[in-house]
Amino acid sequence: MLTLAQFGAGRIGQIHARNVAQNGRCRLKAIVDVNADAASALAGDTGAQVMTADQVFTDPEIGAVVIASATHTHAALIEQAAKAGKAIFCEKPIDLDSDRVAACLGVVAAAGVPLFVAFNRRFDPNFRVLHQRLCDGVIGDLEAVLITSVDPAPPPVDYIKTSGGLFRDMMIHDFDMVVWLLGERPVEVFAAGSCNVDPAIEAAGDIDTATVTLRTGSGRLAQIFNSRRSGYGYDQRIELHGSAGMLQASNWLEHSVTVATDQGVTGAKPMHFFLERYALAYKAELDTFIDAVADGAAPSPSGEDGRVALLLADAAAESLTANRPVNPGL
Amino acid sequence: MLTLAQFGAGRIGQIHARNVAQNGRCRLKAIVDVNADAASALAGDTGAQVMTADQVFTDPEIGAVVIASATHTHAALIEQAAKAGKAIFCEKPIDLDSDRVAACLGVVAAAGVPLFVAFNRRFDPNFRVLHQRLCDGVIGDLEAVLITSVDPAPPPVDYIKTSGGLFRDMMIHDFDMVVWLLGERPVEVFAAGSCNVDPAIEAAGDIDTATVTLRTGSGRLAQIFNSRRSGYGYDQRIELHGSAGMLQASNWLEHSVTVATDQGVTGAKPMHFFLERYALAYKAELDTFIDAVADGAAPSPSGEDGRVALLLADAAAESLTANRPVNPGL
Amino acid sequence: MLTLAQFGAGRIGQIHARNVAQNGRCRLKAIVDVNADAASALAGDTGAQVMTADQVFTDPEIGAVVIASATHTHAALIEQAAKAGKAIFCEKPIDLDSDRVAACLGVVAAAGVPLFVAFNRRFDPNFRVLHQRLCDGVIGDLEAVLITSVDPAPPPVDYIKTSGGLFRDMMIHDFDMVVWLLGERPVEVFAAGSCNVDPAIEAAGDIDTATVTLRTGSGRLAQIFNSRRSGYGYDQRIELHGSAGMLQASNWLEHSVTVATDQGVTGAKPMHFFLERYALAYKAELDTFIDAVADGAAPSPSGEDGRVALLLADAAAESLTANRPVNPGL
Amino acid sequence: MLTLAQFGAGRIGQIHARNVAQNGRCRLKAIVDVNADAASALAGDTGAQVMTADQVFTDPEIGAVVIASATHTHAALIEQAAKAGKAIFCEKPIDLDSDRVAACLGVVAAAGVPLFVAFNRRFDPNFRVLHQRLCDGVIGDLEAVLITSVDPAPPPVDYIKTSGGLFRDMMIHDFDMVVWLLGERPVEVFAAGSCNVDPAIEAAGDIDTATVTLRTGSGRLAQIFNSRRSGYGYDQRIELHGSAGMLQASNWLEHSVTVATDQGVTGAKPMHFFLERYALAYKAELDTFIDAVADGAAPSPSGEDGRVALLLADAAAESLTANRPVNPGL
């Protein structure tokens, strides 16, 4: 039974802590958060205790940490955890700066601890079926990946200001999916974007609508469409074109009821947002992490996967500014 | 915090016990089962203890019982629990004999305890949306209910022999849905049936394929189709025709992935069987029971709902034998 | 090149005449109708001439007749055409009286001319695929047929008064589909019905909502649901349950566009009514008739198919009145 | 009644000639083709006569011409027809060289005859509904257009060599749809492409798989995916993201039948190719042309629409070669 401590008691932290508490193969011992009230409330909910970071890193009973705190704290916590010999489950991203990421991964490698970067979408049951079918060869050789990924509504502008921007905060998930599905790293990234949803996002230096094209060395192509606002829920679709057919993962809907009237036939919207759509993915990624720790296997997605997705986001950002395709240097 | 004891550690018992154990508003204190190993294993899994029926009924800490034991034990356990003043959550059916059911409900009424008969389908999220839309009036006045309900594969013939037959064991769920959706009790039942799936079922005196027509006093109609074997998973669909349109609850699928090849476009099957399809319904019905106990409200579905569904099943069985429509006497 | 004359210049007559005029393998020479203006207008539209019945039956150039006049004229026209040696394409029904039908079929048999009864649904491209897949064995042995058939809105009550009632006018199509799909004649029919749509229909002695159950000697079952009013277009669906799976023919929609908003995801309605839904079926049935005449093959659907469907409708009507299952005597 | 002559008796010519012959508002007088056998056969099928170009241009009875001959003949025929005062219906493209197109349009303008460039997809019933819903404002302001357009299988390499390449031959349709839907001309085009389907296509200097991104001055975005080979029929989908929701036009399927077995639930493929999918569009575009000629209205799509689509294709080709975004100069 793996004993864990968790950093971060915010929205995503609450998801992870509850999943750890309910998972029969691990135990949540501690919650760490600078916000004492949040830490205390979440600890109460999950049967954990509030601890400090130092207490966690020096507690021999704690074998692993879940890092779900603010983004700017991730890299330092990873390094401390690595030096303390803890297995690490970290929310994306490791850091918004790729040099900082590389340095951090060096510390992890030196410590020899497992680092799991929690790209939750890889664990969505639908996308897992998609990936499995692809690996089974049902569409032959993969030639193109088309991703539509649209949030129901934009986050607060204050969040956007510290998020690293649309490419590093939102599309980073899609970059990871592209690499996971292609099994090949893109050599070229071209981004176009604009601000349609909210002028305040533009004032904050970001965009809210973007299309990105990626190309691999072998000539495979990917297209990603992102918008911060759908108006109809969380739109999360992937389409794979291969030499013998096409695979599609459609949205997962709120329910299966349709009503037919003289106005047409109306069915459910996609599940509202990530809390609903990826509820099972969050549970599954935790299980995968526990398996990897138990088996001594290399975690996947790895720290390197986190670095690759960040470099693709960086390349997209540079492409948008320079208005030309950019080699991400992978 | 409601403290419960559970009778029955079989397949459905395991579902309920785990849901009770995970529900934050109640506590599972005891498991009772004539099979000591099963009782012990489930108690171990859920943090409960093995107790005898007498211990349960005399334990003042236990406020409610979940009855998920073999069908022939239900009525007696309900009566004992009622006399002991426990709130009762009982798997369907109360009993296969309607006189026995009536007598049992008399004991419950005299004791004044709440009795909840767990017709799980009323709590399926899709059917709840269907019911809500109907109540919202989106299709005007309801005129007809069409239900398709097909199991993936038949149960063992030994089970069928003691099940009460297709109408009392399987279609009873559909009878309850018809009454719940119509809000009106049928006055006539006509059944046709045959044995297509397995001759052993016929040898056991039962059928495996059936169609039933129900009519209410106001002229509303219902059609139910049941088969013990689909070949493609658990087919659970309801269609409501009203004066202003139609509502449909389609199957809930295993995933959202389709593959397009020269063979056509292939998507997922319906979820395999009731454990998968109604996993959320089992959790929701427990919450509803806890609410009813907490609020002192009349449980719904009630013992009377259980009696009504059984009388409709009896009428169907009589109709099949007599080959004429039968008034269920409701 | 087959030369045809057509009786009837009403709604269905206009469909057939235009299909004959456009079909490259036949020629429309004459239109006959008691309404001279209607005959003249349709003749003008289709390049035909207005003729009398006598002229048609004595014209050696005319090899075949299309009978699309009022129902009560069908049987006499069939007999006259048969005696004149013309091949016959007749709209359903041959007559509303089964004895009259039998007598008429005797005349046709004596004359040795081909008689094609135009059950259009057998020629719908979707239902043809359904039938072909069934014959290909993709669902194994057929065990049950479920048909939903709902008109968008009821016809005028004056029409209903002379139509023979819901079973002989509307559900007769579904009876034919059941026999065509089962490949076996039912031995028992049970009908339930009511009047929900319009009290004037009840006053006219008819119903507007009905469910019928059919059973064959080998134990196969069929369920049909009919309503005179859907509120959302023409609902025409068939579902086949077999030993190895299920086949479904869904509605054919007005278009393929959906809109996703915060109100849900709304798609097209089914095509509005038979003119739209069965436009291709009307063309295909004409081709089949021309083929049969050219090849000297027995037409299908035949006069006997028309008689069988009528007897099933008669049995349903009797069942509704007597409130018991009825043997159609096939 | 408009009298037409048609140039070209090949595959697309046969579609147009038959539609002209069947359309009640026009008459097909002549077929012109360098292949005398093809001309003669098509004239025979459609009741037309074989004529020379000179005969057509000097025949005062002929009011309009349909140009469906080889691409390299279009511009000269348009100019001759314009000088002869004929209304012109021309298959895309006007020419593969944009300067030649501009010169040709100058001749047409000087002659004052109507020129209709037959971008058939604008007349697909599904895309018309899509466009209408967009104009009705159901998704608010349009922000992005996503098009997937995949052929079932590549054409012969000999065709590709003279086609102008994927962008000018195939994606030109999608460029026209983007402009039609956006109501705004793109200011930037970025293309990526590769050759996955057939090395012979690469040897011919073309690609078979491409993604193109377009951006307008107001910041709206479009993404197009093209492949010469789907493996599952003709994939023709459009998706519009707006400020209040999303509109999708899905594929139009071969039929509405699904089969559910233990292998999944399999439905129809998209209609196989343009002959099937756009059969109604070809009829509708002819009606639109006839209307425009009758009303003296400016035809739409116009010659200018043809020029715009070609310039977008040119920009895509240049972008692919130069590997940078290109301003199409519109």
Side-chain angles (χ1 to χ4, degrees):
Chain A
M1 168 98 41
L2 185 64
T3 298
L4 293 104
Q6 179 174 304
F7 294 85
R11 189 169 57 167
I12 192 73
Q14 290 169 29
I15 296 172
H16 289 309
R18 291 193 177 112
N19 287 337
V20 171
Q22 285 180 11
N23 191 303
R25 300 191 298 151
C26 62
R27 186 172 75 93
L28 182 63
K29 181 169 185 183
I31 299 289
V32 186
D33 199 295
V34 291
N35 180 329
D37 288 347
S40 176
L42 186 56
D45 276 2
T46 57
Q49 53 190 286
V50 175
M51 290 177 66
T52 66
D54 282 350
Q55 287 172 324
V56 164
F57 293 130
T58 56
D59 183 338
E61 196 182 33
I62 293 172
V65 296
V66 171
I67 301 176
S69 48
T71 292
H72 72 274
T73 67
H74 288 188
L77 286 171
I78 288 172
E79 291 173 346
Q80 289 177 271
K83 288 173 183 164
K86 312 299 189 193
I88 305 163
F89 174 111
C90 186
E91 261 301 310
K92 68 88 198 165
I94 295 171
D95 195 88
L96 293 174
D97 180 273
S98 61
D99 291 338
R100 183 71 189 85
V101 170
C104 179
L105 296 187
V107 172
V108 172
V113 298
L115 168 60
F116 178 93
V117 175
F119 283 115
N120 57 314
R121 293 187 197 175
R122 293 197 190 191
F123 300 91
D124 174 69
N126 302 300
F127 294 151
R128 289 198 86 80
V129 171
L130 186 85
H131 189 255
Q132 187 58 52
R133 294 278 193 283
L134 175 68
C135 295
D136 292 345
V138 298
I139 60 164
D141 296 324
L142 180 62
E143 294 170 356
V145 176
L146 310 183
I147 297 182
T148 300
S149 176
V150 184
D151 284 355
V157 169
D158 280 349
Y159 172 83
I160 284 179
K161 286 176 183 167
T162 63
S163 70
L166 182 143
F167 296 121
R168 292 185 191 86
D169 167 51
M170 180 177 174
M171 200 181 281
I172 195 167
H173 283 289
D174 304 303
F175 290 128
D176 181 64
M177 292 303 277
V178 164
V179 174
W180 182 54
L181 291 162
L182 286 176
E184 185 185 359
R185 296 180 178 185
V187 296
E188 197 166 86
V189 179
F190 178 77
S194 53
C195 197
N196 294 307
V197 176
D198 185 353
I201 294 175
E202 189 162 18
D206 202 5
I207 54 176
D208 50 39
T209 313
T211 62
V212 167
T213 302
L214 303 102
R215 193 169 56 77
T216 70
S218 70
R220 292 194 271 175
L221 300 168
Q223 276 185 318
I224 302 169
F225 174 69
N226 269 192
S227 166
R228 289 280 195 186
R229 178 259 294 120
S230 74
Y232 54 87
Y234 195 36
D235 191 347
Q236 297 282 292
R237 287 173 288 143
I238 300 180
E239 186 168 310
L240 306 179
H241 291 261
S243 56
M246 174 179 57
L247 276 163
Q248 286 178 300
S250 302
N251 281 313
W252 202 235
L253 305 183
E254 292 188 328
H255 56 76
S256 72
V257 175
T258 56
V259 57
T261 69
D262 59 3
Q263 302 300 303
V265 179
T266 301
K269 289 183 286 186
M271 285 193 169
H272 183 62
F273 208 0
F274 64 92
L275 295 182
E276 295 85 10
R277 165 65 189 258
Y278 293 125
L280 295 176
Y282 290 118
K283 291 181 194 288
E285 68 182 7
L286 176 63
D287 274 318
T288 300
F289 173 68
I290 295 170
D291 285 342
V293 173
D295 301 347
S300 173
S302 66
E304 176 64 4
D305 291 319
R307 194 182 73 91
V308 166
L310 181 64
L311 287 175
L312 289 169
D314 286 349
E318 183 184 344
S319 172
L320 185 72
T321 304
N323 197 25
R324 57 169 177 76
V326 168
N327 185 327
L330 293 171
Chain B
M1 170 92 47
L2 185 65
T3 298
L4 292 104
Q6 179 172 304
F7 294 85
R11 188 168 59 167
I12 193 73
Q14 290 170 27
I15 296 172
H16 289 308
R18 291 192 177 114
N19 287 336
V20 171
Q22 285 179 10
N23 190 302
R25 300 191 299 149
C26 61
R27 185 172 74 94
L28 182 63
K29 180 169 185 182
I31 300 287
V32 186
D33 199 295
V34 290
N35 179 329
D37 288 347
S40 178
L42 186 55
D45 276 3
T46 56
Q49 52 189 287
V50 175
M51 290 177 68
T52 65
D54 282 350
Q55 288 172 323
V56 164
F57 293 130
T58 57
D59 185 337
E61 196 184 34
I62 292 172
V65 295
V66 171
I67 301 176
S69 48
T71 293
H72 71 275
T73 67
H74 288 188
L77 287 171
I78 289 172
E79 291 173 347
Q80 290 178 272
K83 288 172 183 165
K86 312 298 190 195
I88 306 164
F89 173 110
C90 185
E91 261 302 311
K92 66 89 196 164
I94 295 171
D95 195 88
L96 294 173
D97 180 272
S98 62
D99 290 338
R100 183 72 187 85
V101 170
C104 180
L105 296 187
V107 172
V108 172
V113 298
L115 168 60
F116 179 92
V117 175
F119 283 115
N120 57 313
R121 294 189 196 173
R122 293 197 191 192
F123 301 90
D124 174 69
N126 302 300
F127 294 151
R128 289 198 86 78
V129 170
L130 185 84
H131 189 254
Q132 187 58 52
R133 295 279 193 282
L134 175 67
C135 296
D136 291 345
V138 298
I139 59 165
D141 295 325
L142 180 61
E143 294 170 357
V145 176
L146 310 183
I147 297 184
T148 300
S149 176
V150 185
D151 284 356
V157 169
D158 280 349
Y159 171 84
I160 284 178
K161 285 175 184 168
T162 63
S163 70
L166 182 142
F167 297 121
R168 292 184 190 87
D169 167 51
M170 180 177 174
M171 200 182 281
I172 195 167
H173 284 289
D174 304 303
F175 290 129
D176 181 63
M177 293 304 276
V178 164
V179 174
W180 182 54
L181 290 163
L182 285 175
E184 185 184 0
R185 296 180 179 184
V187 297
E188 197 167 88
V189 178
F190 178 77
S194 52
C195 196
N196 295 307
V197 177
D198 185 353
I201 294 175
E202 190 162 19
D206 202 5
I207 54 175
D208 51 40
T209 312
T211 61
V212 167
T213 303
L214 302 104
R215 193 170 55 77
T216 70
S218 70
R220 291 193 272 176
L221 301 167
Q223 276 184 318
I224 302 169
F225 174 69
N226 269 192
S227 165
R228 289 282 195 187
R229 178 258 295 117
S230 74
Y232 53 86
Y234 195 36
D235 192 348
Q236 297 282 291
R237 287 172 288 143
I238 301 180
E239 186 168 311
L240 306 179
H241 291 261
S243 57
M246 175 179 56
L247 275 162
Q248 287 178 301
S250 302
N251 282 313
W252 202 235
L253 305 182
E254 292 189 328
H255 56 76
S256 72
V257 175
T258 56
V259 58
T261 69
D262 59 3
Q263 301 301 303
V265 179
T266 301
K269 289 183 287 186
M271 285 192 170
H272 183 63
F273 208 1
F274 63 92
L275 295 181
E276 295 85 10
R277 166 64 189 259
Y278 294 125
L280 296 176
Y282 290 118
K283 292 180 193 288
E285 67 182 9
L286 177 63
D287 273 318
T288 300
F289 173 68
I290 295 171
D291 285 342
V293 174
D295 301 347
S300 174
S302 66
E304 176 64 5
D305 291 319
R307 193 181 73 92
V308 166
L310 181 64
L311 287 176
L312 290 169
D314 286 349
E318 183 184 344
S319 172
L320 185 72
T321 303
N323 196 25
R324 58 170 176 77
V326 169
N327 184 326
L330 294 171
Chain C
M1 167 97 43
L2 185 64
T3 298
L4 292 105
Q6 180 174 302
F7 294 86
R11 189 169 59 169
I12 191 74
Q14 292 171 27
I15 296 172
H16 288 309
R18 291 193 176 112
N19 287 337
V20 171
Q22 285 180 11
N23 190 303
R25 300 190 299 149
C26 61
R27 186 171 75 93
L28 182 63
K29 181 169 184 183
I31 299 288
V32 187
D33 199 296
V34 291
N35 180 330
D37 289 347
S40 177
L42 186 56
D45 277 3
T46 56
Q49 53 190 285
V50 175
M51 291 177 68
T52 66
D54 282 349
Q55 288 172 323
V56 164
F57 291 131
T58 57
D59 184 338
E61 198 183 33
I62 292 173
V65 297
V66 171
I67 301 176
S69 48
T71 292
H72 71 276
T73 68
H74 288 189
L77 287 171
I78 289 172
E79 291 173 347
Q80 290 177 270
K83 289 171 183 166
K86 312 300 189 195
I88 306 163
F89 173 111
C90 186
E91 261 300 311
K92 66 89 197 162
I94 296 171
D95 195 87
L96 293 173
D97 179 273
S98 61
D99 291 337
R100 184 72 189 86
V101 169
C104 180
L105 296 187
V107 173
V108 171
V113 298
L115 168 60
F116 178 92
V117 176
F119 282 116
N120 58 313
R121 293 188 196 173
R122 293 198 191 190
F123 300 91
D124 174 70
N126 303 301
F127 294 151
R128 289 197 85 79
V129 171
L130 186 84
H131 188 254
Q132 187 58 53
R133 294 277 194 283
L134 175 67
C135 295
D136 292 345
V138 299
I139 61 165
D141 296 324
L142 179 61
E143 294 169 356
V145 176
L146 311 183
I147 297 184
T148 299
S149 176
V150 184
D151 285 355
V157 169
D158 279 349
Y159 171 84
I160 284 179
K161 286 177 184 167
T162 64
S163 71
L166 182 142
F167 296 121
R168 293 185 190 87
D169 168 51
M170 180 175 174
M171 201 183 281
I172 195 167
H173 284 288
D174 305 303
F175 290 128
D176 181 63
M177 292 303 277
V178 164
V179 174
W180 181 54
L181 290 163
L182 285 176
E184 185 185 1
R185 297 179 177 183
V187 297
E188 197 166 87
V189 179
F190 178 77
S194 53
C195 198
N196 295 308
V197 176
D198 185 354
I201 294 175
E202 189 161 19
D206 201 6
I207 53 174
D208 50 38
T209 313
T211 61
V212 167
T213 302
L214 302 102
R215 192 170 54 78
T216 71
S218 71
R220 292 192 271 175
L221 300 167
Q223 276 185 317
I224 302 170
F225 174 69
N226 270 193
S227 165
R228 290 281 195 186
R229 178 258 292 117
S230 75
Y232 54 87
Y234 196 34
D235 191 347
Q236 297 281 291
R237 286 173 288 143
I238 300 180
E239 186 167 310
L240 307 178
H241 291 260
S243 57
M246 175 180 57
L247 275 162
Q248 287 178 301
S250 301
N251 282 312
W252 201 236
L253 304 183
E254 294 190 326
H255 57 76
S256 71
V257 174
T258 54
V259 57
T261 68
D262 59 3
Q263 301 300 304
V265 178
T266 300
K269 287 183 290 186
M271 286 194 169
H272 182 63
F273 208 1
F274 63 93
L275 295 181
E276 296 85 9
R277 166 62 189 261
Y278 293 126
L280 295 176
Y282 290 118
K283 293 179 194 286
E285 68 181 8
L286 176 63
D287 274 318
T288 300
F289 172 68
I290 295 171
D291 285 343
V293 173
D295 301 347
S300 174
S302 66
E304 176 65 5
D305 290 320
R307 194 182 72 91
V308 166
L310 180 64
L311 287 176
L312 290 169
D314 286 350
E318 183 184 344
S319 172
L320 185 71
T321 304
N323 197 24
R324 58 170 175 76
V326 168
N327 185 328
L330 295 171
Chain D
M1 168 98 40
L2 185 64
T3 298
L4 292 105
Q6 179 173 304
F7 294 85
R11 189 168 58 168
I12 192 74
Q14 291 170 28
I15 297 172
H16 289 310
R18 292 194 176 111
N19 286 337
V20 171
Q22 285 179 11
N23 191 303
R25 299 191 299 149
C26 61
R27 186 172 74 92
L28 182 63
K29 181 170 184 182
I31 299 289
V32 187
D33 198 296
V34 290
N35 180 330
D37 288 346
S40 177
L42 186 54
D45 276 3
T46 56
Q49 52 189 286
V50 174
M51 290 176 67
T52 66
D54 282 350
Q55 288 171 323
V56 164
F57 292 131
T58 57
D59 184 337
E61 197 183 34
I62 292 172
V65 295
V66 171
I67 300 176
S69 48
T71 293
H72 72 273
T73 67
H74 288 188
L77 287 171
I78 289 172
E79 291 173 347
Q80 289 177 270
K83 288 170 182 166
K86 313 298 190 195
I88 306 164
F89 173 111
C90 185
E91 261 301 310
K92 66 90 198 162
I94 295 171
D95 194 87
L96 293 173
D97 180 273
S98 61
D99 290 338
R100 183 72 187 86
V101 169
C104 180
L105 295 187
V107 172
V108 171
V113 298
L115 167 61
F116 178 92
V117 176
F119 283 115
N120 58 313
R121 294 188 196 175
R122 292 198 192 191
F123 299 91
D124 173 70
N126 303 300
F127 293 151
R128 289 196 87 79
V129 171
L130 185 85
H131 188 253
Q132 187 59 51
R133 294 279 193 283
L134 176 67
C135 295
D136 292 344
V138 298
I139 59 165
D141 297 325
L142 179 61
E143 295 170 355
V145 176
L146 310 183
I147 297 183
T148 300
S149 176
V150 184
D151 285 354
V157 168
D158 280 348
Y159 172 84
I160 284 178
K161 285 177 183 166
T162 63
S163 71
L166 182 142
F167 295 122
R168 292 185 191 87
D169 168 51
M170 180 176 174
M171 200 182 282
I172 195 168
H173 283 289
D174 305 303
F175 290 130
D176 181 64
M177 292 302 277
V178 164
V179 174
W180 182 55
L181 290 163
L182 286 175
E184 185 185 0
R185 298 180 176 181
V187 297
E188 197 166 86
V189 179
F190 178 77
S194 53
C195 197
N196 295 308
V197 177
D198 185 354
I201 293 175
E202 189 162 20
D206 202 5
I207 54 175
D208 51 38
T209 313
T211 60
V212 167
T213 303
L214 303 102
R215 193 169 55 77
T216 70
S218 70
R220 291 194 271 175
L221 300 168
Q223 275 185 318
I224 302 170
F225 174 69
N226 269 192
S227 165
R228 290 281 195 187
R229 179 257 294 117
S230 75
Y232 54 86
Y234 195 36
D235 192 348
Q236 298 280 292
R237 287 172 288 143
I238 301 180
E239 187 168 310
L240 306 178
H241 290 261
S243 57
M246 174 179 56
L247 275 162
Q248 287 179 300
S250 301
N251 282 312
W252 201 237
L253 304 183
E254 293 190 326
H255 56 75
S256 71
V257 175
T258 55
V259 57
T261 68
D262 60 3
Q263 302 300 304
V265 179
T266 300
K269 288 182 289 186
M271 286 193 169
H272 182 64
F273 208 2
F274 64 93
L275 295 182
E276 295 85 9
R277 165 64 191 259
Y278 293 125
L280 295 177
Y282 290 119
K283 293 180 194 288
E285 68 181 8
L286 176 63
D287 273 319
T288 300
F289 173 68
I290 295 171
D291 285 343
V293 174
D295 300 347
S300 174
S302 66
E304 176 66 5
D305 290 320
R307 194 181 73 91
V308 166
L310 180 65
L311 287 176
L312 290 169
D314 286 349
E318 182 183 345
S319 172
L320 186 72
T321 304
N323 197 24
R324 57 171 175 75
V326 168
N327 185 328
L330 294 171

